[in-house]
């Protein structure tokens, strides 16, 4: 399985408050035409924390409908308990996921030791019908994986790689250096796509790729071709929107940006609220600025 | 409804990995004989993050069975989405809960503004069949309620109070000072029970109360009677065990302490693991030390 | 030496940018008339971080001039190096300090282990001509003393106590419980004066005491007399100003409050700037509100 | 002035507890032979926080003695007060510094706003006889510069660039993108040298460059020549020692590594202590491992 592409962590569109499968298909088809390597469903940006188990299944099924079999559907299936995570991984595979992306447990922070992570991910990987990607997002989860832990987990035949969502280049390099060539480190945020690829990451799962997929695909191609100056210029272009749809305005900002870019974004689920008018104006202005530069 | 008592946030006992209602009843009956004001089910220490919705219902029902109608069953029903929280509150009430304890949403940390909390808690309180207690646990959740927000929420007729689980006495005092006499601030951790009561808290929801309920009840009575020196000595006695079963060894430590004190503790659910032998030895030694002093 | 009083951590007044000894004497005389137990010079609020060594000596000498011999002059003498701290302690004693308040070193945070603190404070206490008070201010310094370390240091015959400047009541209680009756724990911030005294602290070094000394002295007396309801009401009255002159507006806020209360505050030294007009208005309004309640 | 080189932030050697100018000259001469672009004196690693003003002057003078006039002597002169920083910059220039490196003030953390930083650095740059480099080290100082603030300060004719000592690639890129081509962003830690250069940094001030200067110089040359694979391999080689002499074992580790590599390291000043035997063994083993790979 090849993770050397760019994937959008797709938001979940709602119509009248309910998951809208047709909007999912609309978005996914368009992303596929833009050359993305597949889609991540039910990540942080998919508001997976706000969906129940049945809704999660419907999201995966709808995404699968629109993804060709030669592209990847990666499904977020992390839960706090080992058994719920395994159950979610099995259901995701049954609904067509090619791989599962499993965030670190984090509720009992002081108990989240290297031993706990090893235990948890080993049990999940043992039971999952499809390959497992670790999902490391210390700023959001408040817990940290060590390079040694990742190196050890990387030996498991059913653990294929990790999404690293911090912007810490030393940490990302440590994960690459600690693991072997068959373990895929995937950049988890647009702000460090170019830096991460330089350091040995193979691809990206990036909110900004949902909004401007072509630029992200070109950046990956430029690094592959050794065109570093081109890559750096592309990085500079995607950075401001990348910030707005993540640390800046979060999921509401990402959904607003999708609407402005012709995708189906819509409202987030309560207690989240839509992006403010001011946020929308900033996103619109920045999208216009980027478009002009092209 | 009167929250001026001590309540244990009960752990959820498992037998062969499944919720054990008879063990719940055993523990609850013993706590009731010790003079506690009721029980909190499905709090942080109840491993609620590791239970599914059906299991949650069974825990509430089992606890209710063993709690006299003149004592309180408070059920933890916080979820990340407003609608899941409301659904959980309705089910909890249907299974016999007298009040619900609703932790702050926290997954989308940068979006957890005062406005989000106001929106969320207002919607939940509007819909809940039973009174709502806010649950503020900044160290675990990574988000913070402001006194102004709590003051505003305290005006809602169906918001009865809050559990404050930090050890910050300035913050606890600010919550008491910002709210009126009908709003109950409840100390959320044994380490600051005495200090919190001095500052105007009315009671406590304390892990240590599950292990040594009598001492906690005596401490509350001493403060009520103005016997501050007695209260301070009791505080000093409960503090070490209080630390061990919370910040020290967490839920596994609490379950080990229960087993050592004659309750039904048992193993936590994976990925949590039982307390180490060393932790158990420390807890046993401290329990013996406290018993001698009595 | 008796630390069972309230002490103001006096700001350093400047005239035309230079230390103004006459303004120091003016303030100190007024504080002494208000019944305070002495003065702390060169603490955090004294802008000691912005003074050179000669200026520090002049501040101590000026304060000593105005403090009767039966009240205490405590001088802040913490530096990053052991030898500079010792030199400062000797100079402070030579200029009339009765005790020195020594903040934790903090520049090399990752090296600030319990062993380093033990080494540092032992060397300082061995060499200081006057008793040493530890100064623990984790929020400002980014380093933490453990109760075990404080207990060990408390055995040193020349270490008399500590100023605990966090608002964490569990931590303050742990320091009291870990040390003996000859070790004085002193509350370091007005927000938790009452709670700290309940838990066994003997006095307070409080910015708010510089502005409203009488109320702080009354609060200490009330606790000593067992009048807890009175103490709690006083705590509630000093809390808002206490917040404004510390976490709210910092040293500039404290200096503005002094000016408004008839003391000599004046401008802080660059790069600090005077409190904004808005901050001054809030402080003025709150001072008026407190005065009315009296 | 050209900062497109690698500079070691030189430790300050002590003999019998006093600054040793001959050891400084020994080290500097050897670094110059290794092709480094000059030296940074009195940085964090120079234990500047533990030196008095006279000692600081002697360190600068000794370094200048051994640095050819066509290489740069950069001196750390940040103090908490604006006036002490200006005085230090003037003295450094008088003793031969070509530029000054000025860390952010940080003692009054809550007052360290963008406005304070702008005020402070503008005043310092107005008065300094030599160009000023901003020094941003959020992990150590606990305060953060915003890209907007740096962009504004970069307009000052006497502010030449900045040392960015975090490992956050998004932040480093934001500083590069926010400033013009005449503003030099300098990587502040070996862990992200390669990533930083990819993103537009022009050089590095790196503890690891004091120990293995040749590898760092080669890495910079490789990036300049577009040899990215070579640069990445070099990055991988310097990373482990880089970690050990910074976040791993700090200044004591750096001094131990210098001794092992044939430089004059020696003991740090109290309260710092020499690296433990275990730390020394790890550093020795890693140095041997790197040497073999060459």
């Amino acid at each position: 399985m090849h993770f050397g592409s760019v994937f959008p962590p797709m938001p979940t569109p709602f119509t009248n408050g309910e998951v809208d499968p047709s909007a999912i298909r609309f978005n996914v088809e368009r992303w596929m035409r833009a050359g993305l390597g597949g889609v991540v469903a039910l990540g942080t940006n998919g508001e997976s924390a706000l969906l129940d188990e049945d809704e999660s299944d419907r999201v995966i099924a709808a995404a699968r409908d629109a993804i060709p079999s030669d592209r990847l559907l990666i499904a977020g299936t992390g839960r706090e308990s080992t058994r719920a995570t395994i159950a979610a991984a099995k259901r995701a595979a049954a609904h067509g996921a090619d791989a599962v992306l499993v965030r670190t447990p984090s509720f009992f922070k002081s108990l989240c030791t290297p031993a706990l992570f090893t235990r948890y991910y080993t049990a999940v990987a043992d039971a999952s019908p499809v390959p497992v990607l670790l999902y490391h997002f210390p700023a959001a989860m408040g817990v940290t994986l060590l390079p040694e832990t990742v190196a050890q987990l990387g030996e498991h035949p059913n653990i294929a790689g990790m999404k690293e969502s911090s912007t810490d280049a030393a940490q990302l390099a440590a994960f690459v250096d600690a693991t072997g060539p068959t373990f895929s480190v995937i950049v988890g945020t647009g702000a460090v796509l170019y830096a991460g690829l330089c350091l040995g990451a193979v691809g990206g799962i990036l909110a900004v790729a949902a909004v401007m997929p072509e630029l992200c695909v070109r950046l990956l191609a430029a690094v592959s071709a050794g065109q570093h100056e081109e890559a750096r210029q592309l990085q500079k272009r995607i950075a401001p929107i990348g910030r707005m749809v993540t640390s800046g305005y979060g999921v509401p900002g990402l959904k607003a940006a999708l609407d402005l870019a012709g995708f189906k974004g819509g409202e987030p689920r309560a207690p989240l609220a839509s992006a403010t008018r001011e946020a929308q104006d900033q996103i619109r202005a920045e999208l216009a600025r980027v478009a002009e530069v092209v």
Side-chain angles (χ1 to χ4, degrees), chain A:
Chain A
M1 199 168 296
H2 185 55
F3 298 100
S5 301
V6 174
F7 306 87
M10 77 174 204
T12 300
F14 301 105
T15 295
N16 299 324
E18 303 301 326
V19 170
D20 182 342
S22 69
I24 292 175
R25 285 189 293 265
F26 176 90
N27 287 341
V28 172
E29 284 167 9
R30 200 167 142 183
W31 286 320
M32 293 304 95
R33 286 197 298 274
L36 296 171
V39 159
V40 172
L42 301 173
T44 302
N45 285 299
E47 291 173 79
S48 53
L50 306 178
L51 302 179
D52 66 26
E53 301 288 1
D54 287 344
E55 292 177 316
S56 300
D57 293 349
R58 286 203 294 280
V59 168
I60 295 174
R64 181 75 272 177
D65 274 0
I67 302 174
S69 60
D70 63 342
R71 313 254 187 120
L72 297 181
L73 170 57
I74 303 169
T77 61
R79 303 288 188 276
E80 287 296 324
S81 83
T82 306
R83 70 186 211 168
T85 303
I86 290 173
K90 288 181 173 171
R91 291 207 330 276
H95 286 88
D98 298 302
V100 289
L101 177 65
V102 180
R103 67 169 177 79
T104 49
S106 69
F107 190 83
F108 299 99
K109 289 188 175 41
S110 65
L111 302 172
C112 286
T113 58
L116 180 143
F117 290 130
T118 300
R119 212 155 60 217
Y120 172 79
Y121 279 116
T122 301
V124 171
D126 284 348
S128 172
V130 294
V132 170
L133 296 171
L134 316 179
Y135 181 6
H136 187 223
F137 195 177
M141 298 294 123
V143 299
T144 303
L145 288 172
L146 296 180
E148 302 85 87
T149 307
V150 171
Q152 187 187 341
L153 289 169
E155 301 290 318
H156 193 293
N158 204 30
I159 296 183
M162 80 183 296
K163 178 184 190 222
E164 166 60 16
S165 289
S166 88
T167 54
D168 186 325
Q171 187 170 261
L172 191 144
F175 290 133
V176 172
D177 293 352
T179 53
T182 63
F183 185 88
S184 298
V185 175
I186 304 169
V187 177
T189 179
V192 295
L193 177 57
Y194 169 54
L197 295 172
C198 288
L199 294 167
V202 300
I205 297 174
L206 316 161
V208 70
V211 184
M212 35 183 66
E214 291 85 358
L215 292 181
C216 296
V217 169
R218 279 171 55 191
L219 198 167
L220 177 60
V223 175
S224 298
Q227 296 162 342
H228 280 265
E229 184 52 30
E230 161 87 355
R232 195 165 121 196
Q233 292 308 321
L234 286 162
Q235 176 66 48
K236 194 170 169 177
R237 282 176 64 197
I238 68 172
I241 287 286
R243 257 194 306 275
M244 288 179 186
V245 300
T246 55
S247 56
Y249 302 116
V251 172
L254 176 55
K255 287 191 151 180
L258 285 177
D259 282 330
L260 290 165
F263 292 88
K264 307 281 189 195
E267 295 187 359
R269 180 168 274 185
L272 303 188
S274 293
T276 61
R277 176 61 56 100
E278 192 194 345
Q280 293 180 40
D281 289 346
Q282 287 202 18
I283 294 168
R284 183 183 299 109
E286 181 59 30
L287 283 173
R289 213 184 57 78
V290 177
E292 266 174 34
V293 183
V294 181

